[in-house]
């Protein structure tokens, strides 16, 4: 499943980011393979807000389409 399919409240783990350019962008936002995050908000036709401990990051849908995830709970 890709990150753009996540629902609000889901806890997810990043499985892979194949594109090296997108991986570099994601790493700058502290999103990397193996990291566990919570979807705190999913705006209609807008970004996905991910929470990592006390930090929140907005990810565009276009970027989220390239990030493979797995639901943890």
């Amino acid at each position: 499943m890709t990150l753009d399919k996540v629902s609000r409240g889901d806890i997810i783990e990043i499985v892979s980011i194949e594109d090296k350019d997108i991986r570099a962008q994601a790493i700058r936002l502290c999103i990397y393979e193996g990291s566990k995050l919570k979807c705190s908000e999913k705006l209609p036709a807008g970004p996905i807000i991910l929470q990592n401990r006390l930090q929140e990051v907005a990810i565009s849908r276009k970027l989220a389409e390239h990030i493979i995830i797995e639901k943890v709970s």
Side-chain angles (χ1 to χ4, degrees):
M1 175 166 86
T2 55
L3 183 57
D4 62 313
K5 307 283 191 283
V6 73
S7 299
R8 183 177 183 213
D10 286 348
I11 297 175
I12 54 110
E13 181 176 351
I14 306 298
V15 174
S16 70
I17 306 170
E18 299 298 323
D19 187 293
K20 67 178 184 174
D21 294 328
I22 292 173
R23 187 180 315 122
Q25 288 178 346
I27 288 171
R28 286 186 206 118
L29 300 171
C30 296
I31 297 171
Y32 48 87
E33 295 168 353
S35 61
K36 292 183 178 153
L37 309 160
K38 180 180 180 182
C39 176
S40 59
E41 191 64 55
K42 185 175 180 183
L43 302 173
I48 298 165
I49 313 296
L50 298 175
Q51 182 178 7
N52 184 7
R53 296 186 185 110
L54 298 176
Q55 179 184 19
E56 288 189 331
V57 177
I59 304 293
S60 73
R61 297 276 175 129
K62 190 133 182 119
L63 183 67
E65 292 172 356
H66 299 282
I67 300 175
I68 313 271
I69 64 159
E70 184 177 282
K71 284 187 185 180
V72 174
S73 62

